[in-house]
């Protein structure tokens, strides 16, 4: 059997969140085709779990879905070489005003491998303490409207089961945190 061979690579769009390429390929059977590929920064998310077995969930409006989702605190890394734990600590402080004594890596996910290279590393954050919002960070747009809710882990798992939590990183993070704890 042959191999996949990239034959072209053309950038068609770029902004601060996304670069899109139109790539040509020769497939193992000798046929040719094209794929649209989105390149995104790496990201991190945290199942922030307090001493009462409650998780921090953000209720945030998301433009692509034109609605609100329950999500874990999360965000993209600021640059390619940023340590994911440094990025996670920053995101947790920005979005939930928390810091953690311990981070346990739960997994790294390919978020939509059919069209994007986006990956997100999910941690469980424990030993939580209040933290100030970092000085350089300004809550704006969707983040200015998001609310933080503490939900018992078992209730959050029920929200996954009944469809109230549909965000992929949140579903996976909650299920893996529960598995890690039990």
């Amino acid at each position: 059997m042959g191999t996949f061979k990239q034959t072209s690579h053309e950038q068609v769009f770029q902004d601060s969140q996304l670069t899109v390429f139109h790539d040509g390929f020769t497939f193992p059977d000798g046929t040719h085709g094209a794929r649209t590929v989105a390149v995104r920064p790496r990201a991190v998310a945290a199942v922030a779990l307090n001493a009462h077995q409650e998780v921090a969930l953000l209720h945030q409006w998301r433009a692509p879905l034109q609605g609100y989702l329950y999500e874990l605190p999360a965000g993209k890394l600021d640059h390619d070489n940023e340590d994911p734990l440094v990025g996670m600590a920053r995101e947790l402080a920005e979005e939930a005003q928390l810091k953690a004594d311990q981070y346990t890596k739960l997994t790294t996910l390919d978020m939509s491998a059919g069209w994007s290279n986006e990956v997100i590393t999910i941690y469980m954050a424990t030993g939580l303490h209040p933290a100030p919002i970092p000085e350089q960070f300004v809550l704006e747009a969707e983040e200015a409207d998001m609310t933080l809710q503490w939900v018992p882990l078992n209730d959050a798992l029920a929200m996954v089961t009944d469809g109230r939590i549909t965000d992929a990183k949140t579903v996976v993070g909650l299920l893996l945190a529960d598995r890690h704890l039990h």
Side-chain angles (χ1 to χ4, degrees):
M1 178 169 253
T3 61
F4 290 88
K5 180 180 178 192
Q6 187 171 349
T7 58
S8 64
H9 183 66
E10 176 189 1
Q11 182 176 317
V12 295
F13 176 81
Q14 183 173 19
D15 70 9
S16 65
Q17 301 287 322
L18 177 72
T19 304
V20 178
F21 294 94
H22 188 74
D23 292 347
F25 291 91
T26 299
F27 300 116
D29 66 1
T31 61
H32 302 276
R35 297 292 181 265
T36 300
V37 177
V39 176
R40 300 251 313 141
R42 292 180 306 141
V44 290
V47 179
L49 187 68
N50 68 20
H52 304 291
Q53 297 291 293
E54 298 168 320
V55 295
L57 292 177
L58 299 171
H59 196 231
Q60 184 174 357
W61 186 80
R62 291 300 193 174
L65 301 178
Q66 295 289 302
Y68 284 86
L69 293 180
Y70 289 100
E71 299 181 52
L72 299 174
K76 63 183 179 64
L77 298 182
D78 283 350
H79 54 82
D80 288 342
N81 296 324
E82 184 175 25
D83 181 336
L85 285 176
V86 170
M88 188 66 267
R90 183 190 65 255
E91 290 295 333
L92 199 55
E94 288 175 356
E95 294 191 343
Q97 293 77 59
L98 293 170
K99 62 181 176 179
D101 291 337
Q102 182 176 354
Y103 291 99
T104 303
K105 181 179 174 181
L106 297 174
T107 194
T108 298
L109 296 174
D110 295 310
M111 293 301 291
S112 191
W115 72 280
S116 176
N117 74 334
E118 182 178 17
V119 297
I120 187 164
T121 301
I122 303 173
Y123 297 90
M124 185 167 61
T126 55
L128 302 176
H129 308 280
I133 294 176
E135 287 182 25
Q136 74 279 9
F137 182 71
V138 177
L139 288 168
E140 55 189 10
E142 293 91 344
E143 289 178 333
D145 183 59
M146 71 183 171
T147 58
L148 175 69
Q149 298 176 20
W150 286 100
V151 177
L153 179 57
N154 286 336
D155 291 353
L157 293 167
M159 293 169 73
V160 166
T161 302
D162 69 20
R164 287 178 285 161
I165 293 177
T166 59
D167 175 66
K169 70 183 172 301
T170 304
V171 169
V172 171
L174 292 170
L175 293 172
L176 288 177
D178 183 59
R179 182 168 187 188
H180 179 82
L181 293 170
H182 298 103

